[in-house]
Amino acid sequence: MNIKKVIPILEWLPNYNTSLFKGDLVAGITVGIILIPQGIAYALIAGLPPIYGLYCALVPQVMYAIFGSSRQVAIGPVAMDSLIVATGVSTLALAGSESYISIAILLALMVGAIQFILGVFSLGFIVNFLSKPVITGFTSAVALIIGLNQFRNLLGVDFIQSDQIQYVVEDIWLQINNFNQHTTIIGLISVIIIITFRKINKKIPNALIVVVIGILIMKYFGNSFNDVSIVKDIPSGLPLFGIPDFDVDQIKELFPIALTLVMVGYLETISIGKSLEAKQDEYRIRPNQELIALGLSNMVGSLFKAYPSTSSFSRSAINQESGAKTGMAALISVVMVVVTLLFLTPLFYHLPKTVLAAIIIVAVFNLINVKEGKFLWRANKLDFWLMISTFLATLLLGIEFGIIVGVGLSLIVLIFRTSRPYIAELGKVPDSNFYRNKNRFEEVILEDDILVFRFDAQLFYANANYFRDNLDEMASKKGKALKLIVLDAESINRVDSTGLEMLKERIKFYKKRDVIFYFAGVKGPVRDDLFRSGVLQIIDINHFFMRVNQAVKYYKTGDRKHQEKYAKYIHQAYK
């Protein structure tokens, strides 16, 4: 076993030097400055006291720095997971209560355990059933839900909180006239400042700037803004070790939410990690190792009072842009959070909640991916409607049902595409040995007595009838003149028992009608399956060719010398 693969920090730590530290130091401080106000804000989304957002930025970051295969991904509290936590836990306990906090921490342990198990057994591929259009639709919808739910803090109105947007929009419409003027002004100015600084330079700690301004306003002019809600007391000190309270009934109820967090968290981490990986050539993301790292981050984090965490789009990008080269940057951010927890939490007493709402709203609305929607509309209409369906389902039915709809639709589209793959009749390109699709190359030569049929997918139970029906339809158009069928099997990478039986039955069918059946370009494993199924009892080994043109040439000229040599080769390969 390669210990460096299991503990990736050993890949870079032994060769660590001062030149790497300079970039990591700047990046770690920059991300830490952003992380502290974000952590407080995202804890509020999750329905937890602000201190738990900072707890979430401690142990999970350390564990990921040790076990994560990406050196620049920033782990910690994020808006999307925070809202999913609030959605699931709020049905079991009152937000902010001791019971609520206990359940949220238990949820982190469950999420971590599932992620760890998936990683250990190399089951990361399961999450691939969420296609990119589904992820885009889901992410955009959740961003919109999070943003609208923060209007209660931005405007100072006690709007209903829900992951079903119609109820939130209805309540905002009915109560919009009750907005708190001072709260709204501070919140909107914060939004403008954040957007302005983001446009100037993303490295500017805009979140920290509005937090400092908000605190100073409320501390020195608080008498004029006594109707503005502030964070107030945030406890000092580091989280103590403790095993989460176990309740079998709660675990059963939390399981669907835990699975949702597993999939969303892993997809976020992989998508961010892959995008950062493309910008360097020092390391490669290992999906199953990422699951193990996330699992350990959440499991060990839950022992130190962290709720479910994953990677942050914004902080990861800033981490990379600020010069982070290794996981040391994350450890530096942890040091900043530790210092804040030990000495600086009293400074956040006067922090207006509307400023935190502004930070969240700007951050999440950037996740609404209109550009991807426009691209899918041009490139693939089916993927576009898959994205829209997931988007609407998440908005109207809630986050949990949204991801269920997304996975379900992804599977339906997968089944549809594999059951009805692309098929084509090929013709010979003049003065060459190539055969091409007659519908794309008008100049190809088609012969009445020869049908060259191409099937662009694995051949299995879901599309065997589709193969047969299209083959028969093309053959019937040739009529009685048809004497040879050549199956171009280069694109068939797998065939199951249903496909094998269908092929044998069709070969027999056409043999009775004096039509010869040849195979061209069959891959070795597929050819082995054909031989094992008994196809050589119907046709002999000379019916298998490397290329379509060789099959047609053999049919026309009987060039046995070359074909017998190839037949001998594949016969030996099978043995």
Side-chain angles (χ1 to χ4, degrees):
M1 179 186 291
N2 186 346
I3 192 67
K4 291 183 179 180
K5 296 291 184 183
V6 179
I7 309 176
I9 192 174
L10 298 178
E11 293 177 335
W12 57 264
L13 190 58
N15 300 316
Y16 199 72
N17 53 50
T18 53
S19 62
L20 292 174
F21 181 72
K22 290 177 182 177
D24 287 340
L25 180 63
V26 173
I29 292 173
T30 305
V31 171
I33 288 170
I34 295 166
L35 173 58
I36 291 165
Q38 278 191 349
I40 294 170
Y42 295 157
L44 294 178
I45 295 179
L48 294 163
I51 191 71
Y52 286 88
L54 299 180
Y55 290 164
C56 208
L58 289 177
V59 176
Q61 282 205 96
V62 175
M63 298 308 297
Y64 186 84
I66 296 170
F67 294 99
S69 61
S70 173
R71 301 177 192 176
Q72 294 159 316
V73 163
I75 296 293
V78 296
M80 189 183 303
D81 281 31
S82 297
L83 184 64
I84 296 173
V85 169
T87 302
V89 181
S90 61
T91 61
L92 304 176
L94 181 66
S97 65
E98 288 298 322
S99 176
Y100 187 99
I101 295 168
S102 176
I103 295 170
I105 294 170
L106 173 62
L107 183 59
L109 181 63
M110 290 176 61
V111 170
I114 296 169
Q115 289 171 330
F116 184 76
I117 291 169
L118 290 175
V120 168
F121 290 98
S122 300
L123 297 175
F125 71 91
I126 292 174
V127 188
N128 292 337
F129 286 109
L130 279 177
S131 61
K132 188 175 181 182
V134 167
I135 299 169
T136 302
F138 179 77
T139 304
S140 298
V142 171
L144 193 56
I145 291 169
I146 293 170
L148 287 176
N149 271 281
Q150 284 304 304
F151 273 48
R152 69 198 318 262
N153 289 322
L154 185 74
L155 305 180
V157 183
D158 193 23
F159 297 126
I160 189 174
Q161 281 195 296
S162 173
D163 65 343
Q164 293 175 275
I165 201 169
Q166 63 271 27
Y167 301 123
V168 180
V169 171
E170 180 186 17
D171 201 43
I172 290 174
W173 176 260
L174 293 174
Q175 297 195 65
I176 190 66
N177 291 329
N178 298 328
F179 72 92
N180 182 299
Q181 187 175 357
H182 290 149
T183 300
T184 304
I185 291 172
I186 294 173
L188 292 179
I189 290 174
S190 299
V191 169
I192 293 169
I193 292 172
I194 293 170
I195 293 173
T196 302
F197 281 129
R198 282 176 66 90
K199 288 184 177 180
I200 295 172
N201 191 330
K202 289 184 179 180
K203 293 182 181 180
I204 296 174
N206 48 70
L208 182 65
I209 290 171
V210 294
V211 164
V212 171
I213 293 172
I215 290 172
L216 292 175
I217 289 173
M218 294 306 298
K219 185 173 183 178
Y220 295 105
F221 304 98
N223 292 333
S224 302
F225 301 101
N226 53 18
D227 54 347
V228 176
S229 179
I230 57 177
V231 170
K232 295 186 178 179
D233 289 314
I234 299 177
S236 297
L238 300 178
L240 299 175
F241 175 85
I243 298 174
D245 296 328
F246 285 87
D247 186 306
V248 175
D249 292 332
Q250 283 182 355
I251 289 173
K252 289 179 181 177
E253 292 186 71
L254 288 171
F255 195 71
I257 290 292
L259 284 178
T260 303
L261 286 165
V262 167
M263 288 190 286
V264 172
Y266 177 56
L267 283 167
E268 285 178 324
T269 302
I270 287 296
S271 59
I272 295 166
K274 287 290 185 183
S275 66
L276 296 178
E277 175 192 80
K279 298 177 181 179
Q280 52 75 49
D281 56 6
E282 295 294 322
Y283 63 88
R284 289 291 173 265
I285 293 291
R286 301 195 297 276
N288 289 306
Q289 183 63 33
E290 289 299 285
L291 274 171
I292 291 171
L294 285 174
L296 290 170
S297 296
N298 279 305
M299 282 195 296
V300 181
S302 70
L303 304 178
F304 294 90
K305 297 189 170 42
Y307 71 92
S309 59
T310 187
S311 56
S312 163
F313 285 96
S314 58
R315 294 196 301 272
S316 297
I318 291 168
N319 198 34
Q320 189 270 333
E321 290 170 3
S322 300
K325 298 297 181 183
T326 71
M328 185 62 71
L331 299 179
I332 292 168
S333 296
V334 169
V335 171
M336 292 192 64
V337 176
V338 168
V339 171
T340 300
L341 282 168
L342 290 176
F343 307 110
L344 305 180
T345 52
L347 297 178
F348 293 96
Y349 181 92
H350 294 96
L351 175 59
K353 290 184 178 179
T354 185
V355 170
L356 295 176
I359 294 169
I360 295 167
I361 288 170
V362 175
V364 299
F365 278 177
N366 283 319
L367 298 178
I368 300 175
N369 200 336
V370 178
K371 186 178 179 181
E372 180 69 13
K374 292 178 179 178
F375 166 76
L376 290 175
W377 176 255
R378 295 192 306 270
N380 191 305
K381 293 292 194 297
L382 183 59
D383 281 348
F384 172 81
W385 290 114
L386 178 61
M387 182 200 74
I388 292 297
S389 299
T390 306
F391 178 76
L392 293 176
T394 306
L395 282 182
L396 301 176
L397 302 178
I399 291 172
E400 183 180 345
F401 286 103
I403 204 160
I404 291 172
V405 168
V407 172
L409 289 175
S410 289
L411 291 173
I412 290 169
V413 169
L414 175 65
I415 293 168
F416 174 78
R417 284 173 170 164
T418 54
S419 64
R420 298 178 64 84
Y422 194 80
I423 52 113
E425 180 182 354
L426 308 184
K428 185 177 181 181
V429 178
D431 302 320
S432 77
N433 291 324
F434 300 112
Y435 280 74
R436 293 292 183 265
N437 184 352
K438 71 170 188 177
N439 296 323
R440 301 179 72 89
F441 297 85
E442 296 179 359
E443 71 276 10
V444 296
I445 300 169
L446 300 172
E447 300 177 75
D448 292 337
D449 61 334
I450 300 173
L451 169 63
V452 181
F453 178 76
R454 193 183 76 203
F455 190 77
D456 292 345
Q458 62 174 311
L459 183 55
F460 69 122
Y461 65 90
N463 60 27
N465 288 337
Y466 182 76
F467 178 102
R468 183 193 63 200
D469 293 345
N470 280 277
L471 176 63
D472 290 351
E473 182 182 345
M474 289 184 184
S476 66
K477 289 179 181 178
K478 296 284 186 180
K480 294 182 178 180
L482 180 64
K483 297 300 178 185
L484 172 67
I485 294 175
V486 180
L487 172 61
D488 182 356
E490 278 195 293
S491 298
I492 301 175
N493 54 26
R494 188 171 299 161
V495 58
D496 74 352
S497 59
T498 304
L500 290 168
E501 289 302 314
M502 182 276 299
L503 278 175
K504 288 164 60 179
E505 185 270 328
R506 286 294 90 186
I507 293 170
K508 292 175 183 177
F509 175 83
Y510 287 109
K511 191 174 184 180
K512 290 177 182 178
R513 286 158 177 75
D514 296 322
V515 177
I516 305 169
F517 203 106
Y518 285 169
F519 290 86
V522 184
K523 291 181 170 68
V526 175
R527 191 170 60 241
D528 292 344
D529 289 336
L530 287 168
F531 290 175
R532 280 192 290 264
S533 73
V535 74
L536 292 181
Q537 296 171 12
I538 309 170
I539 57 176
D540 68 41
I541 204 165
N542 286 315
H543 287 224
F544 288 81
F545 300 83
M546 284 190 81
R547 299 283 183 268
V548 171
N549 68 292
Q550 293 172 354
V552 174
K553 185 178 180 181
Y554 179 79
Y555 165 72
K556 288 182 175 181
T557 66
D559 183 10
R560 294 186 176 277
K561 184 177 179 181
H562 178 274
Q563 180 55 17
E564 286 175 357
K565 183 178 179 181
Y566 178 64
K568 183 179 180 181
Y569 164 74
I570 62 173
H571 191 62
Q572 288 175 339
Y574 173 65
K575 284 185 174 180

